[in-house]
Amino acid sequence: RPADAGQSATFQQLSYRPQAIFRAAFAPDGQTIVYSAALNGNVPELFTLSAGYPEPRALGLGATQLLSVSSKGELAVLTGAKYLGHRLFTGTLARMPLGGGAPREIMAGVREADWSPDGASLAIIHDVNGKDQLEYPAGKMLYQAAGYLSDLRVSPAGDRIAFFEHPIRFDDRGEVVVVDLAGKSRVVSQGYWGEEGLAWSRDGREVLFSASKAGWANFAVHAADLSGRTRIALASAGGLTLHDISNDGRWLATRDDIRLDVLARVPGADAERDLAWLDLSRPQDLSADGRVLLFTEEGGPAGVNYAVCLRKTDGSPVVQLGEGHAAGLSPDGKWALATVPTSPDRLMLYPTGPGEPRRLDRGEIEHYSWAQWFSDGLRVLVCGNEAGRASRCYVQPVAGGPPKPVTPEGFDIGLVSPGGDRVVARATQGEWWMGSLDSGAPKPISFLGADDFAVSWTPDGGSLLVLGRNQVPARLERIDLSTGRRTLARVLGPPDLAGVLGIGPVALSRDGKSYAYGTNLYRSQLFLVEGAR
């Protein structure tokens, strides 16, 4: 159907400082607004806005993410909130009165929650054995997925739940799903490059959601009824995220400016330089001499499946190798490994010079979460999941043949040692393990935690370089694998940290003297929207 709203919509600006706004909602009075935001870095805190006064009031709760406001004026929040990506956090689910008082903690390891219409119970999303699980009420499983689920909202009648299902973990492409209380689900809209922000219409006949099929600049609010008919509810110049709809039909939305930039220290330079191409550039690998950068471009012109790109670190023009997520350069620099987020995913080799792309045998793997070269250039390590199963890691010969599993299920990232005999792998719960590729039985690494991200092995195979996952700026540390001793390699981050939610990925030259790292910049302005429907 054609757009039937938006021409008469008006916008009232509610926030003014540069900040990242993650979640906003109306209080039951329809006038007070509650939101969670970070002024610097990625640690959220709670604020309220009252009618007639423009300055927000901080509630004095750090590392607290808003999830939902009930019809009784009770907040569902995450305490100890740790940033994961986009607008996602993990922490301990808690409830607290809007008028004041300490949060009462309920359940650890939760990502999202929404109140029932009567304010008596909560629908939740959390990770269970490597799969995302939607429960309503808590403890009753309605839906599971191997990727991830987000933005769940209980319908006004309390008989259905709408949410986004994303096939690739923490990549926000995906579809809109509605499930009833018996667990019967249906996809009501699909095929989106990105989805962020969802709410039910007041009458419960439509799900309204922010999404785009071609880049951040084309984000708009869509509406889908339960039969799957979709319309544009409100178009914009990009970056419009719907947060909540009041009982009288007013919207809360943010205008979000998002960039993924690449800062690099290259051979011969005495300062970092920006090597980003469009608006969403993500570094992946540096050549051995630090003079060539392999990266993924996720910006709209790159296409719905993204683009694998090469750029010399002197700032020369970009060369597009093909579609997909860049994974790594072969040891001789002649091939780029990539995964393409189709259905099912494809594992590709792109020549960096003359030659034709090659597609590797995926076996039964449905979606990839990780891929990396062995130092011999003859094999790759990939991590991903088969249909209906949790992720694990596999070894695959480049010359041909299917992947062979080398870890149990429940692992989504793996780093091969320089000698090719050991692997450090991350469990989907965040713990790090190490084992022999021959035994297939990794053991936990006691001195690595869920807040660590292993970037690479050192060339001698004796240490790991590890990035602080939730740190802004971030510490890159060298950890001795025999003793667990940590030494600081460098601190990474831009001078201005307003709206910087994350640092990474990090790419290093073989000698470690050249490096490139990504910055995730997210700056929001909150608006009250009237007249849209």
Side-chain angles (χ1 to χ4, degrees):
R1 288 187 286 169
D4 58 8
Q7 297 302 317
S8 60
T10 61
F11 293 78
Q12 177 187 345
Q13 188 170 345
L14 300 177
S15 69
Y16 300 90
R17 292 187 61 182
Q19 61 190 307
I21 297 175
F22 305 112
R23 186 65 53 85
F26 290 101
D29 64 10
Q31 302 301 313
T32 304
I33 293 164
V34 189
Y35 69 95
S36 53
L39 298 178
N40 288 287
N42 58 20
V43 180
E45 57 180 312
L46 297 183
F47 300 87
T48 60
L49 280 169
S50 300
Y53 189 65
E55 185 175 353
R57 178 174 69 91
L59 297 187
L61 297 171
T64 303
Q65 163 72 350
L66 176 68
L67 298 179
S68 180
V69 181
S70 80
S71 56
K72 298 178 180 179
E74 191 173 13
L75 307 184
V77 300
L78 292 181
T79 60
K82 293 183 178 181
Y83 182 68
L84 295 174
H86 300 295
R87 300 177 302 117
L88 296 173
F89 293 81
T90 185
T92 299
L93 176 64
R95 49 197 297 178
M96 59 177 287
L98 176 57
R104 180 167 64 86
E105 296 184 340
I106 301 172
M107 180 187 297
V110 173
R111 267 209 326 273
E112 305 226 27
D114 191 40
W115 289 103
S116 59
D118 61 5
S121 58
L122 286 161
I124 67 168
I125 292 172
H126 64 148
D127 185 300
V128 178
N129 298 322
K131 293 183 179 180
D132 263 20
Q133 187 158 295
L134 167 61
E135 299 174 5
Y136 181 62
K140 179 185 178 182
M141 192 272 286
L142 294 182
Y143 197 88
Q144 262 192 343
Y148 79 100
L149 309 177
S150 73
D151 295 82
L152 82 167
R153 287 292 176 258
V154 182
S155 67
D159 59 344
R160 295 180 175 90
I161 299 173
F163 55 92
F164 294 137
E165 180 173 358
H166 313 275
I168 302 172
R169 203 154 184 84
F170 305 141
D171 179 332
D172 66 353
R173 69 177 57 233
E175 56 196 21
V176 184
V177 182
V178 174
V179 64
D180 65 20
L181 302 191
K184 183 179 179 180
S185 64
R186 69 178 73 177
V187 175
V188 298
S189 197
Q190 61 185 327
Y192 293 98
W193 173 91
E195 302 171 315
E196 295 288 337
L198 181 150
W200 284 91
S201 63
R202 289 175 293 163
D203 59 12
R205 295 180 179 178
E206 289 184 311
V207 180
L208 288 91
F209 58 98
S210 305
S212 167
K213 293 194 174 183
W216 193 248
N218 292 300
F219 250 73
V221 179
H222 303 250
D225 65 20
L226 297 183
S227 68
R229 291 179 297 178
T230 302
R231 64 184 175 90
I232 300 293
L234 184 60
S236 76
L240 184 67
T241 303
L242 176 66
H243 288 256
D244 196 17
I245 299 177
S246 71
N247 290 331
D248 60 7
R250 293 169 299 137
W251 295 4
L252 281 178
T254 49
R255 171 65 171 86
D256 302 305
D257 292 318
I258 296 177
R259 287 194 59 84
L260 298 178
D261 286 328
V262 179
L263 297 178
R265 184 75 175 269
V266 301
D270 56 4
E272 294 178 350
R273 65 188 309 170
D274 188 354
L275 291 177
W277 184 31
L278 305 178
D279 59 340
L280 299 176
S281 301
R282 195 182 296 274
Q284 187 58 42
D285 201 1
L286 279 174
S287 60
D289 60 5
R291 299 188 182 277
V292 176
L293 172 70
L294 178 71
F295 68 98
T296 303
E297 181 56 54
E298 300 178 3
V304 68
N305 290 330
Y306 312 144
V308 179
C309 301
L310 277 183
R311 165 173 258 175
K312 291 183 178 179
T313 54
D314 62 6
S316 299
V318 169
V319 177
Q320 293 189 63
L321 302 180
E323 62 180 1
H325 286 282
L329 289 168
S330 61
D332 62 8
K334 294 181 178 180
W335 296 93
L337 179 66
T339 60
V340 184
T342 49
S343 185
D345 291 356
R346 288 180 280 131
L347 184 65
M348 298 295 300
L349 293 178
Y350 294 120
T352 59
E356 294 296 323
R358 294 172 51 199
R359 182 173 177 174
L360 299 183
D361 185 351
R362 68 175 182 87
E364 299 299 320
I365 297 175
E366 185 177 48
H367 296 296
Y368 294 98
S369 58
W370 183 261
Q372 183 199 19
W373 288 92
F374 277 74
S375 59
D376 60 14
L378 302 176
R379 298 168 291 168
V380 294
L381 181 84
V382 297
C383 304
N385 69 281
E386 299 177 11
R389 307 187 69 167
S391 179
R392 67 193 306 179
C393 298
Y394 304 74
V395 171
Q396 181 157 5
V398 172
K404 174 187 175 183
V406 291
T407 71
E409 290 187 9
F411 292 88
D412 61 0
I413 287 176
L415 282 82
V416 183
S417 66
D421 58 336
R422 292 173 293 163
V423 63
V424 167
R426 186 184 72 177
T428 50
Q429 298 296 327
E431 306 91 350
W432 290 91
W433 300 59
M434 182 167 63
S436 165
L437 284 171
D438 295 327
S439 70
K443 296 181 180 179
I445 304 174
S446 61
F447 45 80
L448 283 183
D451 289 338
D452 292 317
F453 187 87
V455 173
S456 69
W457 293 74
T458 54
D460 62 6
S463 301
L464 288 174
L465 288 168
V466 174
L467 189 71
R469 284 185 60 208
N470 295 306
Q471 299 172 355
V472 178
R475 291 170 58 92
L476 183 67
E477 297 179 320
R478 182 179 291 103
I479 300 181
D480 188 302
L481 288 173
S482 61
T483 65
R485 181 173 178 268
R486 296 178 179 239
T487 55
L488 178 65
R490 54 176 47 92
V491 176
L492 302 175
D496 183 2
L497 298 177
V500 177
L501 298 185
I503 304 295
V506 176
L508 301 166
S509 62
R510 187 169 297 170
D511 62 9
K513 294 180 180 179
S514 298
Y515 61 87
Y517 65 93
T519 63
N520 179 0
L521 184 64
Y522 193 114
R523 290 179 178 172
S524 311
Q525 296 291 349
L526 182 63
F527 289 89
L528 181 69
V529 184
E530 298 189 72
R533 62 184 189 276

